[in-house]
Amino acid sequence: MSALFEPITLRSLTIPNRLWMAPMCQYSAAPEGPEEGAPNDWHFQHLAARATGGTGLILTEATAVRPDGRISPYDLGLWNDTQTEAFRRITAFLKAQGTTPGVQIAHAGRKASTERTWVNRGGPILPGQRHGWEPVGPSPLPFDEGFTTPAELSVAQIQELVGQFGATARRALAAGFEVAEIHGAHGYLINQFLSPFTNRRTDAYGGSYENRTRFALEVVDAVRAEWPDELPVFFRISATDWLTEDASDDRTGWTADDTVRFARDLREHGVDLLDTSTGGNAPDAKITAGPGYQVPFAERVKKETGLAVGAVGLITEARQAEKIVADGQADAVLLGRELLRSPSFAQHAARELGAEVRGPQPYHRAV
């Protein structure tokens, strides 16, 4: 039996294998009008193709809790009934293929209001420009040169956001999702609060580790309150900002030690799996990437805390993914670009590893 193709049960939900699809923005939703932020035929085929290809769990792209939480105006959201209804068609199809549907709930913070990645390299859309808006963040620090300085969130606005994360979780459940993942990685809003590099506040939401993690834990509590006890909640984290760990340096960032400590807190607040990535909070961070370069961060969390983990990052081969799970480095692997290149990667991997190949009946001759 292949370890990669063994089912995994989290709470009362059994996911058919350990090969999952990571969230990947498609920048293909309507930016305005009655269908603003709602999934359309492009999103349906994008997610459905990976389901028919045998992927065990599929997570949507970062799905915003409100309009100004989108990375770009072309991203998905889940703040109204039109969006909720549009997702039902997708989740029903994924379930019919034996795939577990998951949603990544997000707010982009200071990295919001940008172009699609193939337009001006995903650069900022400034307030006053078409489809642009003023971003928000924990502190008035722009992401990079040319980006808008975000408005610093007040305590009242932070509390409003916590409620909006909970409301989006409630809509996600109504839309048919079975996993809710909170996006706390890649320099987006929650990551901005966690890291001393981007959080310069002096109130209850900044300064100490306890204060910088307060917003994230309040969001977890709000989502968990809306999510059924029998279904899992994931948290995606950047395990390191890839910055200095010298506390006297103004470029001190979130560290792997912080992640291990925070993983214990997340487990106490009802998180079932840590989706472990890195980086994204500092545009000039020095990252040495290579096959499986982020796996050690997931492995450390699993070994030191016992929390289930997902591993991501340049995982491109079946035997590489199999080894990660079989060696106990992670409980599952999440693929991004490789699933863009090969929607049926899971079927090819199962065949290579001698596992049962799952596919739709109309394609049985090719399975």
Side-chain angles (χ1 to χ4, degrees):
M1 171 67 73
S2 161
L4 188 63
F5 286 92
E6 288 182 2
I8 180 172
T9 299
L10 298 167
R11 298 200 179 222
S12 297
L13 178 70
T14 298
I15 302 170
N17 62 47
R18 317 294 184 98
L19 201 159
W20 303 346
M21 187 169 100
M24 289 177 283
C25 288
Q26 297 297 292
Y27 306 106
S28 298
E32 59 187 358
E35 304 301 320
E36 180 183 6
N40 52 41
D41 285 350
W42 176 263
H43 302 92
F44 180 89
Q45 71 78 30
H46 168 64
L47 301 172
R50 279 81 196 166
T52 58
T55 309
L57 165 70
I58 289 178
L59 289 162
T60 65
E61 66 183 67
T63 301
V65 301
R66 65 189 202 188
D68 74 344
R70 292 171 292 177
I71 302 166
S72 87
Y74 306 94
D75 289 356
L76 295 180
L78 195 44
W79 65 78
N80 65 37
D81 291 343
T82 298
Q83 296 157 350
T84 304
E85 186 61 35
F87 271 118
R88 287 196 183 105
R89 175 187 175 215
I90 293 173
T91 59
F93 185 86
L94 267 55
K95 290 177 186 177
Q97 310 313 308
T99 294
T100 301
V103 60
Q104 188 183 70
I105 302 172
H107 190 295
R110 70 176 187 163
K111 293 177 75 174
S113 191
T114 64
E115 268 292 0
R116 292 163 288 190
T117 53
W118 57 87
V119 178
N120 193 29
R121 298 183 178 180
I125 303 175
L126 302 179
Q129 294 180 335
R130 189 181 183 202
H131 299 146
W133 63 86
E134 182 183 36
V136 299
S139 301
L141 302 168
F143 173 64
D144 200 0
E145 184 178 349
F147 278 70
T148 302
T149 299
E152 181 171 300
L153 289 161
S154 69
V155 171
Q157 290 171 327
I158 291 170
Q159 290 302 304
E160 181 182 21
L161 268 165
V162 170
Q164 289 166 336
F165 272 89
T168 293
R170 184 168 61 250
R171 289 189 178 279
L173 185 64
F177 289 103
E178 295 178 307
V179 171
E181 176 171 277
I182 299 163
H183 198 354
H186 299 160
Y188 299 119
L189 185 63
I190 292 176
N191 190 180
Q192 292 163 29
F193 270 91
L194 292 174
S195 175
F197 177 65
T198 42
N199 184 344
R200 309 294 174 86
R201 302 176 73 95
T202 58
D203 61 6
Y205 289 93
S208 68
Y209 166 88
E210 290 79 9
N211 285 356
R212 285 183 286 107
T213 59
R214 189 182 308 278
F215 174 58
L217 293 177
E218 288 180 348
V219 167
V220 170
D221 290 345
V223 169
R224 190 74 264 183
E226 298 289 349
W227 207 244
D229 287 343
E230 64 270 19
L231 294 178
V233 169
F234 294 2
F235 190 98
R236 190 167 218 199
I237 196 164
S238 282
T240 176
D241 283 338
W242 297 101
L243 296 172
T244 178
E245 298 184 14
D246 181 354
S248 65
D249 193 320
D250 64 3
R251 287 183 60 80
T252 300
W254 182 261
T255 70
D257 288 344
D258 293 328
T259 294
V260 171
R261 180 180 180 183
F262 190 50
R264 296 189 180 101
D265 295 338
L266 290 171
R267 184 174 59 184
E268 291 179 2
H269 284 257
V271 168
D272 302 286
L273 181 141
L274 193 68
D275 181 358
T276 312
S277 187
T278 65
N281 202 26
D284 58 348
K286 302 297 187 290
I287 302 174
T288 303
Y293 71 104
Q294 297 176 139
V295 174
F297 296 98
E299 181 180 19
R300 182 181 170 192
V301 169
K302 181 175 174 62
K303 288 184 175 179
E304 295 188 26
T305 73
L307 183 64
V309 297
V312 304
L314 295 181
I315 300 170
T316 60
E317 298 178 358
R319 295 195 182 278
Q320 176 194 17
E322 171 75 11
K323 188 174 186 335
I324 291 167
V325 176
D327 288 355
Q329 295 177 285
D331 298 275
V333 297
L334 293 98
L335 274 58
R337 290 177 178 85
E338 192 59 31
L339 275 172
L340 295 183
R341 290 185 283 264
S342 179
S344 297
F345 181 91
Q347 289 175 355
H348 302 316
R351 188 176 296 107
E352 181 177 340
L353 298 170
E356 180 182 357
V357 182
R358 179 170 62 89
Q361 289 182 333
Y363 288 0
H364 74 279
R365 288 167 292 180
V367 171

